[in-house]
Amino acid sequence: MSLLNIFNIAGSAMTAQSQKINVIASNLANMDSVIHKNGKFYPYVAKKVIFELDSSKNSKIGGVKISGIIDDTSPMNLVYDPNNPMANHKGYILTSNVNPITETVNNISAARSYQANIEVLKTAKFMISKTLTIIE
């Protein structure tokens, strides 16, 4: 493994975390959205990003890549709103399974991971430049 591989690893992690932040933003933006499909109304289903190891040459060390963006399987919320035109005969409507608190915590975590990888890049750059000054 080369010293320069750290740039690929940190860069892949930054790309993955950036994609996760985008999905979280999409979840928060669409949490009150309703989809009309096949004559019925469906609430927005939260999305989740799945990461996996992006190894090179069958190594156990590598970067991160996104293996997929899947629908969150947590149950939809039922809200009593008998005046809503989409309410069932009991007065309940299905709302999205997006939890804004969970999404905010995940967003903070992804942002911190992104920042940590920036620090890794800065440290690697500093180490390489110091190594070059020793050679002089």
Side-chain angles (χ1 to χ4, degrees):
M1 171 176 268
S2 164
L3 178 63
L4 298 178
N5 282 348
I6 191 70
F7 292 110
N8 293 333
I9 293 171
S12 70
M14 291 171 60
T15 301
Q17 294 299 336
S18 174
Q19 182 67 34
K20 184 176 181 179
I21 290 171
N22 285 336
V23 169
I24 291 169
S26 175
N27 284 342
L28 290 172
N30 293 307
M31 66 185 283
D32 293 327
S33 299
V34 176
I35 300 168
H36 185 260
K37 186 168 58 175
N38 299 331
K40 286 185 165 185
F41 292 99
Y42 297 97
Y44 176 78
V45 178
K47 308 286 187 241
K48 291 171 63 175
V49 176
I50 306 297
F51 295 144
E52 72 178 9
L53 175 67
D54 185 16
S55 64
S56 59
K57 300 173 187 171
N58 295 329
S59 172
K60 291 187 177 186
I61 300 172
V64 176
K65 69 178 181 182
I66 296 173
S67 65
I69 298 173
I70 61 171
D71 289 341
D72 189 354
T73 57
S74 60
M76 299 290 175
N77 299 319
L78 269 179
V79 175
Y80 183 70
D81 187 6
N83 296 327
N84 192 316
M86 295 185 297
N88 64 12
H89 66 281
K90 293 181 180 176
Y92 289 96
I93 60 170
L94 271 178
T95 60
S96 176
N97 59 353
V98 175
N99 183 341
I101 296 171
T102 303
E103 296 295 326
T104 302
V105 169
N106 288 339
N107 189 34
I108 291 170
S109 173
R112 295 289 165 90
S113 295
Y114 190 90
Q115 290 172 341
N117 282 294
I118 289 174
E119 292 301 320
V120 167
L121 290 177
K122 284 181 181 177
T123 303
K125 179 183 169 188
F126 177 76
M127 289 172 55
I128 290 172
S129 66
K130 280 294 184 186
T131 303
L132 291 175
T133 58
I134 291 172
I135 296 172
E136 293 177 349

